Amino acid sequence: MGKGGSLSDSVVKKIVLSYTYVAIWIFLSFTVIVYNKYILDKKMFNWPFPISLTMIHMTFCASLAFLLIRVFKVVEPVSMSRDLYISSVVPIGALYALSLWLSNSAYIYLSVSFIQMLKALMPVAVYSIGVLLKKESFKSDTMINMLSISFGVAIAAYGEARFDTWGVILQLGAVAFEATRLVMIQILLTSKGITLNPITSLYYVAPCCLVFLSVPWIFVEYPVLMESSSFHFDFVIFGTNSLCAFALNLAVFLLVGKTSALTMNVAGVVKDWLLIAFSWSVIKDTVTLINLVGYGLAFLGVAYYNHSKLQGLKAKEAQKKAAQADEEAGRLLEKREGEGNGKKNEQQN
């Protein structure tokens, strides 16, 4: 009874911890999205400078990552040559900069709810780019699933009350660059055995983002900011906003490290529905029935995609265990044959 109770307690503890990690990630992701919308929207805080906001985030995160790695020695830096940094980290940093810039810019033109609906296209973009770069194999049933997700998002876009073409282009561009970044991480870093946690990732990638973002910033936002003499930097608003962005990076590492990337995908769907509900009830964004029907179809497609990925992971794990069992059985057989031959030799002697 005691042993059974102990086992039961450990299982319950593991489940509670998993749900806690999911809740923390959903809360922080939710907070960062709503906070960014609040800062950038002209009807709220009215600071429509997405490049500047992204640069503030990157400066804060890079500085904090530097302190944690170089000063306080909390995290060990990854061994990386200059050639590897230029060939692998720099392209990823450029894609990350473009993704953040465009996604933050979309908040000026689109509602939070509609942006979440457009983000449902992420699996479509990741799979398509993976096939183009020969990282994924083309499968007709997977492509049909991708088309169903796209069809659902198209219906949601058709029913959008505040449809803005420029905002949609920005968000779709952000999805494309982010999907490319995720595939490039697999090609450029993971294939070389390099894994970066959020702190080391920010330590290496954030400075690249700052450099790439500074180019459009000088020409697009810097002249406007210089003319806006009435603006005073609010350290509380931008400080807490940057802290939330940094905490979200840590929460991603915690969630994926303690559960799985698939759990994060499922949690992302829950977060999207919460954001849509919040956008409709609190921010008072218009969410139409056609919006919900379209996103519902896309949601089913994403759910099926996640289910297929889970089945694939289970099949690979089963094959791995079967191979290990066969290898172990082969070793035992060789050992027994060796012992049998040894006894025969002893009897002959």
Side-chain angles (χ1 to χ4, degrees), residues 111-122 149 152-157 160 171 272-273 276 286-288 290-296 298:
S111 66
V112 170
S113 57
F114 187 44
I115 285 174
Q116 300 315 120
M117 293 176 190
L118 291 174
K119 283 182 181 180
L121 289 169
M122 184 60 75
I149 295 171
V153 173
I155 292 173
E160 175 60 22
Q171 185 55 46
D272 290 344
W273 281 111
I276 290 169
T286 304
V287 179
T288 66
I290 299 175
N291 273 152
L292 294 176
V293 170
Y295 183 65

Side-chain angles (χ1 to χ4, degrees), residues 110-282:
L110 302 176
S111 66
V112 170
S113 57
F114 187 44
I115 285 174
Q116 300 315 120
M117 293 176 190
L118 291 174
K119 283 182 181 180
L121 289 169
M122 184 60 75
V124 180
V126 172
Y127 178 72
S128 302
I129 292 166
V131 170
L132 285 172
L133 298 178
K134 297 181 179 179
K135 192 66 184 174
E136 294 270 1
S137 56
F138 179 85
K139 294 177 182 177
S140 56
D141 56 339
T142 306
M143 186 52 71
I144 291 169
N145 184 20
M146 297 298 108
L147 289 172
S148 71
I149 295 171
S150 303
F151 180 65
V153 173
I155 292 173
Y158 177 77
E160 175 60 22
R162 281 184 56 201
F163 186 90
D164 186 282
T165 304
W166 180 237
V168 171
I169 291 170
L170 288 170
Q171 185 55 46
L172 292 180
V175 168
F177 283 121
E178 178 62 12
T180 307
R181 182 183 77 91
L182 294 173
V183 175
M184 294 302 283
I185 285 173
Q186 286 184 304
I187 295 171
L188 297 176
L189 292 179
T190 309
S191 61
K192 295 174 184 177
I194 296 173
T195 54
L196 300 176
N197 63 46
I199 297 175
T200 52
S201 177
L202 289 170
Y203 176 76
Y204 290 109
V205 175
C208 286
C209 286
L210 276 173
V211 172
F212 285 111
L213 288 168
S214 64
V215 177
W217 180 76
I218 289 170
F219 296 101
V220 178
E221 292 186 3
Y222 179 72
V224 182
L225 283 167
M226 288 298 97
E227 291 175 8
S228 305
S229 56
S230 59
F231 173 74
H232 297 286
F233 190 86
D234 192 321
F235 285 95
V236 175
I237 291 288
F238 292 105
T240 52
N241 180 245
S242 298
L243 189 62
C244 287
F246 183 80
L248 177 59
N249 277 282
L250 297 184
V252 170
F253 175 65
L254 192 68
L255 182 61
V256 176
K258 299 296 183 180
T259 56
S260 68
L262 197 62
T263 302
M264 183 176 164
N265 288 341
V266 175
V269 173
V270 176
K271 177 206 70 180
D272 290 344
W273 281 111
L274 288 172
L275 279 166
I276 290 169
F278 180 85
S279 177
W280 171 74
S281 61
V282 179

Side-chain angles (χ1 to χ4, degrees), residues 1-10:
M1 181 74 179
K3 191 176 180 181
S6 173
L7 181 63
S8 177
D9 289 345
S10 65

